[in-house]
Each structure stands twice: as C-alpha cells, then as structure tokens.
Amino acid sequence: MKADNMQNMQTNEIPLHDIKPLLEIEDYSFCYFIGIVTVVTLIVLGGLYLLYRHFRTKNRFNLRKEHWKILNNIDLNETKKAAYELTEYGATFANDSDRHAKTYHDMLEHLQKYKYKKNVDDFDSETLRIIELYRGMIDV
C-alpha cells in the first residue's frame, strides 16, 4: 500500500511544469495542393485549346486556296471556257492590292473578245502574257 500511496502522491501533489499545451500549427499543404491542381488544369486546358485550334484551322475550307488551284489548272486551249473561268475565279484576288486590281481589269479587257461569241480563236500572245502575269501575282 505504501507503493500505491507514493505513486498517488507523485501524481497528485507534484505539478508538472515542463509539459506545455498543444500548439496549433498552420498547415498550408491543402492550399498548395489546390494551387498545383489549378495550375496543372489550366495548362492542360490551354494545351487542349491549342490542339483544337490547330486542327480546326488545318481542316477549314479555304476559298482563296481552292480558287488559286483552279486558276492554275485552267486549260487555256479551251479559249471560251477559260475566259469565263479566269473572270470568275480571278475576281477572288482582284482586291488584294491596286496592282492586282489593275492587272485583273487589263485581263478582263483582253478576255472580253473571247466571251459572248459562238466561235472564238485561241488566246493571242498579249492575253496569254497578262493571264500568266496575273497568275504569278497571286499569293495564297
């Protein structure tokens, strides 16, 4: 009983001054986690958006490019049909610059004699020169 009494005496009578109360420590790990997740999400979404834009513009129909291909593949041996096609598809590029507009207008004047007739001759050398000049000016 003496040992019980002594142990009881130690716990009840001796104040413990070296044990301090629990301290609250600020923990920012959750904020860091949310920040990292947000940054990674923004980077992934930005990458997906850039991929979307790349594939959208890659597959988009380009009228200028199509008309340029048609202009370069016109058969100049079929004079009447070529005159109409040059007029139609060449108009796409006529307003690119003043030089384009003047050359297109000159080409139309030379092509006029090959339209609206039942039978037409082959293109003369001056008309062919203007057609090739206009084709060469086009930038797509």
Side-chain angles (χ1 to χ4, degrees), residues 3-81:
D4 258 349
N5 208 4
M6 197 162 193
Q7 186 180 13
N8 201 8
M9 192 175 177
Q10 284 180 350
T11 48
N12 290 338
E13 296 175 8
I14 302 174
L16 301 174
H17 294 292
D18 61 337
I19 299 178
K20 298 189 179 183
L22 294 175
L23 293 177
E24 187 173 323
I25 299 174
E26 294 293 327
D27 184 19
Y28 296 109
S29 62
F30 185 71
C31 295
Y32 294 149
F33 175 73
I34 295 296
I36 290 171
V37 167
T38 303
V39 168
V40 168
T41 302
L42 289 175
I43 290 172
V44 168
L45 288 176
L48 289 174
Y49 175 71
L50 290 176
L51 279 173
Y52 168 74
R53 277 192 41 212
H54 170 72
F55 286 115
R56 189 184 71 186
T57 57
K58 180 181 171 187
N59 296 329
R60 185 184 308 167
F61 178 75
N62 188 343
L63 182 67
R64 291 176 58 87
K65 189 180 258 186
E66 292 300 317
H67 284 189
W68 181 74
K69 286 179 187 175
I70 292 170
L71 275 175
N72 285 329
N73 293 325
I74 290 176
D75 182 16
L76 297 179
N77 293 326
E78 298 179 29
T79 311
K80 187 173 185 175
K81 181 180 176 190

